Amino acid sequence: MTTTSHPTVTLRNGITLPALGMGTWRMGDDPAQRAHEVRSLQIGLDAGLKIIDTAEMYGHGRSENVVGEALRGRRNQAFLISKVLPQHASYNDMLKACERSLKHLGTDYLDLYLLHWRSTIPFNETLYAFETLRERGLIRDWGVSNFDTNDMNELADFGAYPLVNQILYSLEYRGTEYDLLPRDEEAHITNMAYCPIGQGGDLLHHPVLRAIAHEHKTSVGHATPAQIALAWVLRRSNMIAIPKAATPHHQALNIAAQEIRLTQGDLNALDDAFPPPSVKEALAVI
């Protein structure tokens, strides 16, 4: 079943965004692929995907540089996210890291700046750096990545509520459904799923995904297992998905996945094949 209505998510600050965004992990690593990567991001922007997620860690700035090229002349069309490494989460180092990322990206501000994963640096120093960056207009808001329930609770003890918590979430990694996802939703913190369709391994060859894909069509043809996996993530009301599409063809498939509405029978079959958690699980990280 297809529809022209694409899923959206409204952040706590009132900004409404498409629930489908674009990841950039490993973009920029192969110079021969750069033109395809840039064009893929531009096609996504043309289709209104808006969110582009990158990080200083990705290729030591090479990914940010690809994003900067894709955004040249159209920065206002994007909701731009980058991430700071935990070893740069001290006050002075974070300010330098943010300025470095902005230079790579060719922009003067980020819409969202995330702490890539938990640091040994005290939260209060990192929070002070986030606030300074916001006061200086270098970032519009801040968030975290790879934070589990206890980490989020510790932040709340500081009276700090990130706009977004970016996590690994897919059919293969459902552990966060047990407590983290409901906890974040209750606190009006949006979750953002990285690697929502896996990394091209066994997941996309699973017979249940293949069978469900056979029953769905999109504007670009019969659905693929990857599109079903992505539609499954996009079904959640408080979830943004940021799959990487390094070629225009893959980007077109991701865009078309927004059309898919899984039936209750589909969801039941996926629950049987990829059971939801029944106990607390350690946060999975890639």
Side-chain angles (χ1 to χ4, degrees), residues 133-151:
L133 289 168
R134 182 157 53 182
E135 288 175 354
R136 294 183 182 178
L138 300 183
I139 68 173
R140 298 285 173 84
D141 221 318
W142 67 277
V144 294
S145 178
N146 297 310
F147 269 45
D148 205 349
T149 306
N150 288 340
D151 304 315

Side-chain angles (χ1 to χ4, degrees), residues 125-179:
E125 183 172 356
T126 301
L127 293 170
Y128 182 39
F130 275 134
E131 190 56 37
T132 299
L133 289 168
R134 182 157 53 182
E135 288 175 354
R136 294 183 182 178
L138 300 183
I139 68 173
R140 298 285 173 84
D141 221 318
W142 67 277
V144 294
S145 178
N146 297 310
F147 269 45
D148 205 349
T149 306
N150 288 340
D151 304 315
M152 299 300 284
N153 289 338
E154 286 188 48
L155 275 178
D157 289 341
F158 281 90
Y161 297 91
L163 193 65
V164 162
N165 183 15
Q166 186 178 121
I167 54 171
L168 177 63
Y169 181 66
S170 69
L171 280 164
E172 293 177 301
Y173 296 100
R174 299 185 63 174
T176 52
E177 291 178 7
Y178 185 77
D179 60 349

Side-chain angles (χ1 to χ4, degrees), residues 18-63:
L20 179 61
M22 298 180 282
T24 62
W25 186 30
R26 293 179 176 166
M27 282 192 181
D29 288 355
D30 182 356
Q33 297 301 312
R34 185 183 181 94
H36 293 300
E37 293 166 348
V38 169
R39 184 62 188 138
S40 177
L41 292 171
Q42 291 172 335
I43 287 171
L45 289 174
D46 290 342
L49 295 194
K50 205 170 181 67
I51 296 171
I52 302 180
D53 174 84
T54 188
E56 66 167 338
M57 185 187 79
Y58 299 167
H60 303 287
R62 290 192 298 270
S63 168

